[in-house]
Amino acid sequence: MAKEITVSGVRPTGRQHLGNYFGAVINFVKMQEHFNGYFFVADYHSLTTHPKAADLAANVKQIVVEYLACGVDPNKCTLYLQSAVPQIPELYLVFNMFAYLGELERSATFKEKVRDQPDNVNAGLLTYPVLMAVDILVHKAAKVPVGKDQQQHLEMTRDFAKRFNHTYGVDYFPEPEAFSYETSLVSIPSLDGVGKMSKSKGENTCIYLADDADSLRKKMMKAKTADSPTAPNSPKPIEIQNLFDLMQLVSSAETNAFFHEKWNDTTIRYGDFKKQLGEDMGTYLAPIREKIEKLSANDKLLNEIINDGGSKARQNATQTLKDVREIIGIKSY
Ligand code: ADP
Ligand code: TRP
């Protein structure tokens, strides 16, 4: 039986953080064993904020390096750049006809961007979910490993796919679903205690995969806490719950149990708690950081991988475009 297809990508807007890792990339690494995986760098998506050309190029390389350092294996999946597949912008044009202004304006990420960058509300921001849907549909993927923040985009993807199928009376595009090996989609909190960890929120709010032990320690010491507990077994304020959530990901079961007990009997000292978390974070990320450093120096290998992945992705996308043109009545000459 043919393997199920999976697609996912990360925008090259900076170094990847724990949210990208636990929300997305850790799943790519597991999925490549059982799925036909297409994992890419969403470079067109990052143009909505007008990055400088040199910064974009450096960030694209960084994401590729980090994918590989985390264990994404180009022998087991297709690793490529979105911009290497011209069929994506072509299909994006077609799918723009199936996306309605009202629903695009109602998208949570669009509203957030309008708030965050009121001077740059470009049409690319509005149709961001269409481009994302096309990334997925161009490979006819069934499962999309993403963090919780992308759930709405997947709903929109299914709507666009359904409309296309319905309009042309075909059963061509599958209706893909967001996927995680966890019981629910993951959302890693920002270190400032407000919202999710995000590349756009800045240095001290993110734990980057490439952070060294010293900066991890310092960042954790600066992470936001709350008043100390005054009664046994108190509910945890959000900032403290966030830190416990991070500890759950990187520390041993004993360490987790130890600090939970300290919280429950009110003797927890936030200094010790954060110091331990900083150290465990350093130990957890050290192997990835070392690989990032090594791979960054090997442009030849990176170029080979990306070239090869680009041609595999194009091959698959070419078939989809051929089918779509036929379905919609546009001839291919
Ligand atoms: P960012 O928001 O930091 O710029 P991207 O938008 O490039 O990150 O997201 C790439 C992937 O990482 C997506 O699958 C997204 O859901 C996931 N992701 C990003 N931030 C988090 C987070 N804090 N928790 C869980 N997953 C996240
Ligand atoms: N929109 C995603 C994000 O901001 C990145 C992305 C673009 C993506 N195209 C995709 C994720 C296709 C999964 C599948 O996180």
Side-chain angles (χ1 to χ4, degrees), residues 7-11 20 24 28 38 40-43 45 82 109 128-129 131-137 143-147 149-150 153-154 157 196 199:
V7 169
S8 193
V10 173
R11 291 177 307 145
N20 302 134
F28 304 179
Y38 291 87
F40 69 98
V41 183
D43 45 3
H45 270 114
Q82 183 185 38
T109 34
Y128 182 108
L131 183 55
M132 173 160 168
V134 165
D135 290 329
I136 298 165
L137 297 174
K143 299 229 159 62
V144 184
V146 280
D149 58 313
Q150 297 300 308
H153 286 155
L154 262 296
T157 303
K196 67 153 208 157
K199 293 193 224 88

Side-chain angles (χ1 to χ4, degrees), residues 203-217:
E203 187 67 29
N204 278 324
T205 65
C206 284
I207 297 287
Y208 296 105
L209 303 180
D211 274 341
D212 60 29
D214 196 40
S215 31
L216 287 174
R217 223 174 291 125

